[in-house]
Amino acid sequence: MTWFQDFPQMDDDTLRSLKQFIDEGFRGFTRSYGETIEGFFNPLQKFLLLSEKFMTQTPWPVIVLIVLAIAWGASRSVKITIGALVALMAIGYFGMWDDSMRTISMIFVCTVLSIVIGLPIGIMMARSERVQRVINPILDVMQTMPSFVYLIPVVMLLGIGRVPGLIAVVIYAIPPMIRMTNLGIRLVDKDVLEAADAFGSSSWQKLKSVQLPLALPTIMAGINQTIMMALAMVVIASMIGVQGLGQPVLKAIANQYFTLGIFNGLAIVGIAIIFDRVSQAYGQRLQKHLEVVHG
């Protein structure tokens, strides 16, 4: 195996100098522009705090009714609605309500942010092969990079707190939203687009009235995956100050509290199942509706 040991490598001093140069450059960037970047994210922090305040200070019966109304409106399924009720009751009964509401508020903000950023990028990718060639490798890196790595530059730029955690979660969770938007628009039947052209529709009218409505079930699948990935990041994001169910799980790992970790882990699973079933059911209803309309 000596041939492998002789593999050509960069000189240790050169490698050390390169790493030091990159680290010092990034530190210098954070010192110069850190405050400006923090100011840029102030509206996001206010939105997150407002969402968290609503979820934690609103009486629990009101929150339960809102969630059940959303579940029923999206799914029209008694089974899914009752399942959501049972999950919420169990979360409250075992004393995890406040942490669960903080987690739900963060997932809500992450999802809104992912839609606001991801939808336009996905549309641009669908309309331009050049943009798709540029964006696809970036999405590949975002999806394969270990999630802990996202925390390093975010913490160096913004420190510890809710907003850095939120940004790390969005970076981790947004690729499915972008990919599925791109895919959904590209899968729209060309005959439908030709018919829209025949009626003299502009590019914007085709996008607004034809492509986006027909791509909506696929986009909903992207939103579903974004929510699932955001929930998967909750525990890791708790390492940099994100409040919610992730912090008790982190505490359980550090102190070997088995039941604390299991209970809060199951609460995350319960929230994930509610989001997953409701969004999937809504996507299926959209699909059936479109099949009826265009069938």
Side-chain angles (χ1 to χ4, degrees):
M1 296 296 290
T2 55
W3 62 271
F4 183 78
Q5 294 171 354
D6 294 335
F7 192 87
Q9 298 180 15
M10 182 182 290
D11 178 72
D12 288 345
D13 291 336
T14 305
L15 182 60
R16 192 179 302 111
S17 298
L18 177 63
K19 290 178 178 177
Q20 186 176 0
F21 172 76
I22 295 171
D23 288 342
E24 288 179 354
F26 193 74
R27 290 192 191 99
F29 177 81
T30 58
R31 284 193 293 268
S32 300
Y33 300 101
E35 290 185 7
T36 305
I37 294 172
E38 283 183 22
F40 177 76
F41 286 112
N42 274 341
L44 183 60
Q45 184 174 19
K46 291 178 181 177
F47 181 35
L48 181 58
L49 290 172
L50 187 65
S51 172
E52 187 176 304
K53 183 178 179 181
F54 174 79
M55 294 299 294
T56 54
Q57 296 186 10
T58 302
W60 69 265
V62 177
I63 295 293
V64 170
L65 287 173
I66 291 171
V67 173
L68 295 183
I70 293 171
W72 172 254
S75 67
R76 292 293 195 275
S77 168
V78 175
K79 186 186 293 185
I80 290 174
T81 306
I82 292 174
L85 176 62
V86 171
L88 290 174
M89 291 296 100
I91 285 169
Y93 184 74
F94 288 105
M96 297 176 290
W97 185 263
D98 284 347
D99 284 337
S100 296
M101 292 305 103
R102 291 190 182 96
T103 296
I104 290 174
S105 67
M106 173 150 174
I107 298 304
F108 169 72
V109 174
C110 286
T111 304
V112 170
L113 200 59
S114 296
I115 293 170
V116 169
I117 297 172
L119 192 64
I121 296 174
I123 291 169
M124 286 190 293
M125 287 177 67
R127 296 170 75 88
S128 170
E129 293 292 337
R130 182 179 296 176
V131 173
Q132 181 171 247
R133 285 195 296 269
V134 171
I135 299 294
N136 265 335
I138 298 172
L139 296 178
D140 291 338
V141 171
M142 290 169 69
Q143 288 188 292
T144 54
M145 184 78 72
S147 49
F148 284 97
V149 177
Y150 294 127
L151 305 182
I152 300 168
V154 172
V155 170
M156 289 180 71
L157 277 171
L158 300 171
I160 302 293
R162 292 181 178 87
V163 173
L166 177 69
I167 294 168
V169 173
V170 169
I171 292 171
Y172 180 74
I174 200 173
M177 182 68 215
I178 299 173
R179 288 190 188 277
M180 297 302 278
T181 301
N182 175 33
L183 178 65
I185 293 175
R186 286 177 178 273
L187 288 177
V188 172
D189 195 338
K190 288 182 172 57
D191 292 338
V192 177
L193 295 178
E194 288 175 2
D197 287 332
F199 281 102
S201 300
S202 66
S203 182
W204 166 248
Q205 287 172 329
K206 278 197 301 182
L207 176 66
K208 179 175 68 72
S209 303
V210 179
Q211 290 174 303
L212 283 179
L214 292 176
L216 203 52
T218 308
I219 293 171
M220 280 301 304
I223 293 172
N224 174 276
Q225 290 303 305
T226 293
I227 293 170
M228 295 302 105
M229 293 184 73
L231 278 165
M233 190 73 173
V234 162
V235 176
I236 296 170
S238 67
M239 297 176 65
I240 58 172
V242 173
Q243 295 182 333
L245 292 167
Q247 288 195 338
V249 174
L250 200 64
K251 182 180 177 182
I253 294 170
N255 297 282
Q256 299 181 8
Y257 296 150
F258 176 72
T259 52
L260 180 66
I262 290 294
F263 277 41
N264 285 272
L266 288 173
I268 294 173
V269 171
I271 293 169
I273 290 172
I274 292 172
F275 277 119
D276 180 62
R277 296 294 184 270
V278 170
S279 58
Q280 274 195 19
Y282 184 61
Q284 289 169 1
R285 283 185 61 224
L286 280 175
Q287 187 70 48
K288 289 177 182 176
H289 175 72
L290 290 172
E291 287 173 359
V292 170
V293 171
H294 297 279

